[in-house]
């Protein structure tokens, strides 16, 4: 009986012709391009068994590598469940990092070298290094940016002291990197990037160790090879040369870890690096309905740096990919709850996916409030330490206690106060426990525009503690001028203002349920402390990055917005083009997680501002079913205009005078002095931000 007949009859595993060809590959290099849901992990396991059964390969002589610890565990579990009962072979599955650690550990033991401890909490040491250099503490966003850039530099093998010169832009990155290396040496620890660099150095310098490893592992196969960085690629090349018995399984369209140094360009150059290598295609998806596969094809065809593929499925039609448009985040969240509570098929799983960690906040809050169990995949972020939340806390502290100097100093440059540094220093010196606004008036003088502005801000801040939580946030944003701070400071914050806005809109959606700011902040603390019970929840919240390798019956995508995902839609340079393509691949990964349906949920307004759909949505708009339900679930006329919506001159509390250009539904376009802004007419009127006085000047273009 043939090998594949045994798999069919004993294990109920059926492989198509393309899959069988790849499984039967023996010697020499091979690249198997596998689309999402094509069974690539099962194929790798079957090939491992085939090498042992058909070619007599000792399982200990096959090195099975993958990208993440979770993926390695998944491979081991799948092999134990599907193959082990029928085959006696026992294979090892590991990450490249764990393989490097094993090699280094053996060499250290042989040479009597004191082993280094693996650093599992990088943040503490890296933050200490940054503090030594800059004298300030890293917040979450700064730490993420710094750790990503240092990790990228190590995986790209940039020379010490040349990080900034190589294009990395974190302030003082070279000095911080040097301080970080010194702290690791002092504590005799190494991080995960050190494992790879140390292993590569060992293979470069000690031919006896390299030859020993080649003899031990004459065959190497690697899964998720699109995630391989330059240093990992260099390790693999040395292990397999000159026989090059390297079997690669990858999908260049799922390369989403460029910030770690991974690049599909390594796959694109496979044929030049390994002349005579075989190329196999796995083009059939066993996961998703035809409609989902069609949309996936239309998404990824806009990329240029890729292998051309044809995506097919054997699951047939019956799936749905829908764009659902809502007025607000709250309306969107209500719809998510309704659909989860009225799930047509009991037991179906749902993945709620988003680009940025904090976009899931308001969804998480809604699920908790409704008592719907859920789990959170990797990539969770702290709320309490986020600078945006700390700013809001400073406003409420100052409202409750106008003598709180620390709170005042935190927000003074983020409001309409417009007090210069010299005046702020004078206020600090003359404070002596008094009302900071009264001290400000004494410092600047009690007459003139400056004093009027200070009194206006004083009065507004005084009333914050008595407002509803959503009004509290919107007043800070509009009347106190915090939105201007976000726009002005976006470059120094290290991220786009629109990305910050995604969190801001989530905060407003959560706040809308609370009559006062204090319980709103208590809710944020509760969200920070939430830990799911068990791992059997049918609903999962996840970043798009963390969702890779997962699959769900239904996928809900949120915050697929212009300025958020992708941050930048235009490109002028090759690096910018490649970054845009990686973001598009991430969108492709998210859609391809679904078996039965994909719902892209678009909130048209957040904080009174019109939110525009991402380029990635407009590229596939013709393939989407488009619905615009209202909060109660009934259809809403997309072209209706609010009754009484005026024309002519308009005045916004924050942006000043402007001229109404057009209205479309609740969206009103107004030309202000600086630019055209699209606002929510309804929310602006409700909050008193927008008025339409007669006989007033119109802005001149």
């Amino acid at each position: 009986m043939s090998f594949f007949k045994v798999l069919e009859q004993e294990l109920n595993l059926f492989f198509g012709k393309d899959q069988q060809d790849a499984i039967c590959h023996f010697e020499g290099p091979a690249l198997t391009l596998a689309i999402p849901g094509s069974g690539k992990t099962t194929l790798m396991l079957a090939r491992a068994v085939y090498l042992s059964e058909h070619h007599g390969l000792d399982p200990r002589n096959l090195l099975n590598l993958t990208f993440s610890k979770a993926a390695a565990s998944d491979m081991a579990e799948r092999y134990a469940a599907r193959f082990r009962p029928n085959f006696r072979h026992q294979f090892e599955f590991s990450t490249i990092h764990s393989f490097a650690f094993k090699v280094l550990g053996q060499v250290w033991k042989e040479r009597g070298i004191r082993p280094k401890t693996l650093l599992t909490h990088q943040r503490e040491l890296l933050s200490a290094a940054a503090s030594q250099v800059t004298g300030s503490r890293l917040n979450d966003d700064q730490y993420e940016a710094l750790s990503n850039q240092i990790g990228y530099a190590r995986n790209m093998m940039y020379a010490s002291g040349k990080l900034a010169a190589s294009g990395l832009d974190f302030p003082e990155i070279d000095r911080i990197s040097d301080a970080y290396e010194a702290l690791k040496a002092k504590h005799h620890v190494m991080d995960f990037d050190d494992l790879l660099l140390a292993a590569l150095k060992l293979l470069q310098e000690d031919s006896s160790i390299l030859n020993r490893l080649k003899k031990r592992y004459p065959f190497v196969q690697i899964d998720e090879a699109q995630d391989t960085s330059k240093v990992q690629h260099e390790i693999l090349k040395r292990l397999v040369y000159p026989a090059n018995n390297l079997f690669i399984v990858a999908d260049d369209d799922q390369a989403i870890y460029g910030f770690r140094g991974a690049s599909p360009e390594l796959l694109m150059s496979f044929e030049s690096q390994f002349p005579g290598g075989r190329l196999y295609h796995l083009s059939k998806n066993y996961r998703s309905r035809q409609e989902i596969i069609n949309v996936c094809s239309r998404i990824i065809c806009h990329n240029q740096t890729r292998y051309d593929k044809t995506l097919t499925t054997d699951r047939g039609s019956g799936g749905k990919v829908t764009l659902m448009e809502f007025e607000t985040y709250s309306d969107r969240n209500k719809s998510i709850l309704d659909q989860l509570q009225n799930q047509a098929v009991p037991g179906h799983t749902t993945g709620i996916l988003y680009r940025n960690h904090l976009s899931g906040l308001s969804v998480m809050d809604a699920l908790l409030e409704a008592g719907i169990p859920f789990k959170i995949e990797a990539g969770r972020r702290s709320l309490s330490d986020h600078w945006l939340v700390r700013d809001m806390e400073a406003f409420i502290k100052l409202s409750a206690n106008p003598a709180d100097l620390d709170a005042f100093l935190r927000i003074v440059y983020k409001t309409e106060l417009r007090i210069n540094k010299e005046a702020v220093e004078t206020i600090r010196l003359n404070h002596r426990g008094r009302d900071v606004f009264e001290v400000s008036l004494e410092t600047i003088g009690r007459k003139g525009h400056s004093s009027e502005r200070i009194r206006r801000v004083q009065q507004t801040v005084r009333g914050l503690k008595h407002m509803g939580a959503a009004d509290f946030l919107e007043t800070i944003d509009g009347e106190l001028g915090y939105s201007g701070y976000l726009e002005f400071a976006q470059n120094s914050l290290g991220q786009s203002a629109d990305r910050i806005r995604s969190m801001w809109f989530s905060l407003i959606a959560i706040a809308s349920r609370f009559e006062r700011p204090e319980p709103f902040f208590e809710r944020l603390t509760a969200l920070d402390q939430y830990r799911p019970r068990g791992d059997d929840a049918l609903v999962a919240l996840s970043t798009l990055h963390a969702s890779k390798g997962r699959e769900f019956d239904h996928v809900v995508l949120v915050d697929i917005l212009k300025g958020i995902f992708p941050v930048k839609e235009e490109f002028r340079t090759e690096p910018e083009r490649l970054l845009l393509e990686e973001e598009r691949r991430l969108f492709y990964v998210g859609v391809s997680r679904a078996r039965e349906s994909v719902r892209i949920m678009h909130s048209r307004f957040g904080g009174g501002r019109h939110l525009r759909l991402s380029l990635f949505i407009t590229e596939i708009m013709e393939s989407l079913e488009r619905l615009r339900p209202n909060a109660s679930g009934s259809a809403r006329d997309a072209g209706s205009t609010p009754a009484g919506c005026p024309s002519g001159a308009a005045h916004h509390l924050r942006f000043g005078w402007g001229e109404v250009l057009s209205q479309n539904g609740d969206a009103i376009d107004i030309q202000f002095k600086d630019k055209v802004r699209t606002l929510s007419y309804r929310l602006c009127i409700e909050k008193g931000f927008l008025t339409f006085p007669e006989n007033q000047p119109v802005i001149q273009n």
Side-chain angles (χ1 to χ4, degrees), residues 359-433:
S359 289
L361 272 181
S362 67
V363 180
M364 180 180 175
D365 173 67
L367 293 173
L368 274 175
E369 183 69 12
I372 297 176
F374 63 94
K375 53 191 171 185
I376 305 175
E377 301 297 337
R380 187 164 179 179
R381 292 285 296 277
S382 169
L383 280 174
S384 58
D385 194 44
H386 197 283
W387 57 266
L388 193 59
V389 173
R390 292 170 68 193
D391 281 354
M392 297 306 101
E393 289 174 338
F395 277 107
I396 198 63
K397 287 178 181 178
L398 193 58
S399 179
N401 177 17
D404 191 328
L405 181 63
D406 289 337
F408 175 78
L409 293 176
R410 183 171 183 88
I411 59 91
V412 63
Y413 300 120
K414 305 173 184 180
T415 68
E416 289 288 301
L417 283 170
R418 302 178 196 171
I419 300 175
N420 61 36
K421 290 184 178 180
E422 292 77 13
V424 169
E425 180 61 17
T426 303
I427 293 167
R428 189 185 68 80
L429 293 173
N430 290 279
H431 174 236
R432 298 193 300 277

Side-chain angles (χ1 to χ4, degrees), residues 139 141-142 145 170 386-388 391 414 482 485-497 499-500:
N139 62 37
D141 296 312
Q142 291 168 333
F170 195 92
H386 197 283
W387 57 266
L388 193 59
D391 281 354
K414 305 173 184 180
Y482 191 70
Y485 161 72
L486 293 181
E487 291 183 13
F488 173 78
Q490 59 181 296
N491 291 330
S492 63
L493 292 172
Q495 54 188 287
S496 76
R499 180 178 176 183
I500 300 165

Side-chain angles (χ1 to χ4, degrees), residues 457-478:
V457 172
Q458 179 186 33
Q459 187 66 28
T460 304
V461 169
R462 185 178 296 162
L464 290 175
K465 63 180 180 291
H466 302 298
M467 296 179 179
D471 290 336
F472 160 77
L473 292 176
E474 288 170 353
T475 300
I476 291 169
D477 187 43

Side-chain angles (χ1 to χ4, degrees), residues 2 45 54 62 74 78 144 161 165 188 258 261 263 298 311 337 402 464 483 490 509 598 602 605 694:
S2 74
L45 299 177
H54 190 77
L62 175 63
D74 179 60
R78 289 198 200 189
E144 182 178 21
H188 202 69
S263 171
R298 292 187 175 100
L311 279 66
L337 295 180
L464 290 175
S483 61
Q490 59 181 296
V598 177
H602 173 48
F605 293 94
E694 297 180 358

